[in-house]
Amino acid sequence: MLRNRLITVLTFNNGVLFRTKNFFPDYRYTLNFVDAWSIDEIVVLDISRKGSGDRENFLKAVEKFALNCFVPLSAGGGVKKTEDFKKLLNKGADKVVINTEAVNNPELITKASRLYGSQCVVVSIDAKKQAKGKYEVYVECGTRATGKDPVSWAKKVQEFGAGEIMITSIEKDGSLEGYDNELNQMVSEAVNIPVLVCGGAGNWQNFVDGINIGKASAVCTTNIYHFAESSIQSAKKYMVNKGINMRVS
Amino acid sequence: MIVIIDYGLGNLKSVLGAVQRLGYEVVISHSVDDLEEAEKLILPGVGAFGDGIRNLKDINLIDPLNELVLKRKKPVLAICLGFQLLAEESLEFGHNKGLGWINATVEKINPDGEDIRIPHVGWNDLFVKNESILWEDVPAGTLFYYTHSFHVKCKDQDIVIGMCKYGIDFVAAIQQQNIYATQFHPEKSQYYGLCVLKNFLEKA
């Protein structure tokens, strides 16, 4: 039966890895530490700000990962047109992640999924909790409010042809306090495509909760301290012991 | 030399990386000369069936492939969409005819909209149905990576070497003489995925 997935998400600025905390850079720089053997999938995101940094360096990083990484690789960050999809797929990415442009130009979701298959299209949604417990979708690395509600946006995204959705809680990101499973569950239950949850994973119980309470198909972590082989294996063993179906080596 | 067939669709780089990692000389090509010279062929694919078959037609590869694979029995490994293209027809986005190399049709995983998430994405069990060189050194209980919304329904069960389950039981892999195919992505299934690929490259 289909297992749940544990996915590492690496963010890059100008081709160099760093870790986000509430979407502000917290600089680290090493490339070759992700255990490509126990992890289920890898996501690499370019969050170089416009004008700073060279997309070329990110593409080089994608290529390096692709050649050494025998699990699915998703890449994204600043993707604006189908040509950008093609560039990343040609570098070896298996899926492409889009966020801001999906909101600005939802047709891109449909075009890309027709050209490359919906399996290649992951739409990432960042959301912030507002007053009165409502949530709002933000774009441009969490800086611009859209007025959209993540649940109805997720439903639209599915209609447009996305293969998967990645939902991130802006407040929880980098907090190590656990996911926002209220947000996760709402989005997951609103759609019939796989949902990957992100933002806040600190300990292994957080992963378990992400699946049981957040109803995720896959749990993501951006925490580099989770990336080592022993950590991934330990996390998965913990999850299996708690009754989650995971792939364990 | 191994040739990965380039028909404009699919994660060619991933397959290239995997074959290179296994130490083989490999090129990505759609030139008939390269295909003829190849010791073995790989037909990858991610995307829609209709586009796949049309692309193959547009670059005039169908006749050469029929000749090389069906007549001259060149070993070929078809992956994911590549596997689906081997069928007689597909119900994806209408009705499309495939290569017709195997007696099969391509259908939706959940035609009646059952309560499972589509596409089928992630790691899932392989149930070995028949012995095959592909499964050598692959232990029972091995998982492989899938990402698809359609599956290949084989009318001829003799060619089925592996099954998987997601809502329905569906065909994970086939072997028909020199034609091998997997619905899962061996190049994305880590250690044992590479093992399956190596088995094809070494023994087919």
Side-chain angles (χ1 to χ4, degrees):
Chain A
M1 115 241 67
L2 185 66
R3 305 298 194 269
N4 289 108
R5 290 169 277 158
L6 177 56
I7 301 179
T8 47
V9 177
L10 285 69
T11 45
F12 287 82
N13 191 1
N14 196 17
V16 179
L17 180 79
F18 73 85
R19 172 186 167 218
T20 58
K21 185 176 164 66
N22 275 310
F23 288 67
F24 291 110
D26 174 4
Y27 221 64
R28 302 280 185 275
Y29 36 107
T30 165
L31 197 61
N32 294 318
F33 57 83
V34 172
D35 166 37
W37 298 103
S38 300
I39 199 62
D40 293 324
E41 290 191 32
I42 297 177
V43 175
V44 293
L45 298 174
D46 184 6
I47 53 178
S48 303
R49 299 293 191 263
K50 261 197 273 274
S52 86
D54 193 350
R55 200 64 86 185
E56 277 313 305
N57 286 331
F58 177 65
L59 290 175
K60 282 197 192 108
V62 173
E63 190 167 29
K64 189 165 181 181
F65 266 95
L67 286 174
N68 291 294
C69 155
F70 302 102
V71 291
L73 178 68
S74 307
V79 172
K80 296 219 176 327
K81 27 194 209 311
T82 56
E83 286 79 3
D84 296 329
F85 269 80
K86 200 171 180 112
K87 262 197 202 133
L88 290 170
L89 294 172
N90 282 345
K91 285 294 177 191
D94 301 293
K95 310 186 216 181
V96 174
V97 185
I98 55 173
N99 187 332
T100 300
E101 198 60 24
V103 167
N104 292 346
N105 177 20
E107 267 180 25
L108 176 62
I109 305 173
T110 312
K111 269 172 91 175
S113 96
R114 274 300 285 117
L115 278 173
Y116 305 113
S118 64
Q119 313 90 311
C120 278
V121 184
V122 179
V123 174
S124 174
I125 302 175
D126 297 328
K128 212 184 257 191
K129 197 166 193 171
Q130 308 294 64
K132 297 184 188 164
K134 287 195 186 289
Y135 291 87
E136 187 175 357
V137 175
Y138 276 65
V139 292
E140 290 167 26
C141 288
T143 59
R144 177 163 73 86
T146 63
K148 287 186 186 316
D149 145 57
V151 169
S152 37
W153 175 229
K155 284 189 180 147
K156 288 236 171 68
V157 155
Q158 176 181 250
E159 265 169 50
F160 281 119
E164 293 176 290
I165 285 175
M166 188 161 143
I167 177 74
T168 302
S169 156
I170 292 176
E171 296 96 339
K172 293 289 198 171
D173 184 60
S175 70
L176 307 182
E177 287 168 4
Y179 300 112
D180 181 338
N181 284 316
E182 191 191 325
L183 170 67
N184 292 341
Q185 183 179 1
M186 282 183 347
V187 169
S188 200
E189 288 180 345
V191 296
N192 200 43
I193 57 180
V195 172
L196 289 41
V197 302
C198 199
N203 59 37
W204 307 158
Q205 186 60 39
N206 294 153
F207 293 144
V208 173
D209 294 341
I211 290 170
N212 283 343
I213 306 173
K215 309 293 182 194
S217 301
V219 287
C220 300
T221 178
T222 56
N223 184 343
I224 61 172
Y225 298 108
H226 287 169
F227 292 174
E229 167 151 6
S230 53
S231 303
I232 302 290
Q233 288 187 359
S234 160
K236 285 185 165 192
K237 278 208 179 82
Y238 182 94
M239 294 168 81
V240 166
N241 282 340
K242 292 286 185 158
I244 310 285
N245 294 313
M246 300 295 291
R247 181 181 73 100
V248 287
S249 328
Chain B
M1 172 180 83
I2 307 297
V3 171
I4 298 169
I5 301 168
D6 180 4
Y7 59 106
L9 287 184
N11 54 337
L12 305 172
K13 208 56 172 257
S14 317
V15 183
L16 181 80
V19 178
Q20 281 176 336
R21 169 72 150 229
L22 291 168
Y24 286 82
E25 196 197 317
V26 55
V27 295
I28 294 174
S29 174
H30 57 142
S31 111
V32 179
D33 289 337
D34 285 337
L35 266 58
E36 281 193 355
E37 200 187 311
E39 199 193 308
K40 296 182 186 160
L41 303 171
I42 297 180
L43 182 70
V46 177
F49 189 99
D51 296 332
I53 205 72
R54 192 183 49 244
N55 287 6
L56 281 174
K57 276 198 188 107
D58 287 348
I59 55 178
N60 298 313
L61 272 193
I62 300 204
D63 288 339
L65 280 173
N66 285 341
E67 164 73 26
L68 290 170
V69 176
L70 298 179
K71 293 236 174 67
R72 293 199 231 160
K73 306 289 185 197
K74 204 176 279 275
V76 60
L77 174 66
I79 299 170
C80 195
L81 175 66
F83 174 22
Q84 294 176 1
L85 292 177
L86 307 185
E88 282 151 344
E89 64 169 5
S90 165
L91 303 179
E92 183 174 7
F93 293 132
H95 238 92
N96 277 297
K97 278 180 110 76
L99 291 169
W101 292 354
I102 61 174
N103 206 344
T105 53
V106 176
E107 298 179 7
K108 265 191 178 177
I109 291 176
N110 66 331
D112 303 320
E114 288 95 35
D115 189 25
I116 49 173
R117 291 177 191 264
I118 297 293
H120 173 220
V121 185
W123 298 81
N124 206 337
D125 305 282
L126 169 74
F127 297 108
V128 172
K129 201 160 166 266
N130 271 315
E131 268 181 30
S132 164
I133 52 157
L134 291 189
W135 307 142
E136 280 176 35
D137 301 322
V138 175
T142 297
L143 302 173
F144 291 90
Y145 189 87
Y146 292 85
T147 176
H148 59 120
S149 311
F150 287 76
H151 73 107
V152 180
K153 200 165 178 178
C154 292
K155 293 177 202 154
D156 176 7
Q157 289 298 303
D158 287 340
I159 65 170
V160 176
I161 55 173
M163 299 287 291
C164 183
K165 189 184 181 74
Y166 186 62
I168 53 164
D169 293 315
F170 68 88
V171 177
I174 60 115
Q175 179 186 335
Q176 181 175 282
Q177 295 176 50
N178 55 311
I179 301 172
Y180 298 79
T182 62
Q183 181 61 71
F184 57 81
H185 287 266
E187 77 285 7
K188 293 279 119 179
S189 297
Q190 273 207 7
Y191 185 82
Y192 290 109
L194 291 181
C195 190
V196 166
L197 197 48
K198 181 166 76 91
N199 287 340
F200 168 72
L201 294 169
E202 241 172 54
K203 302 167 192 181

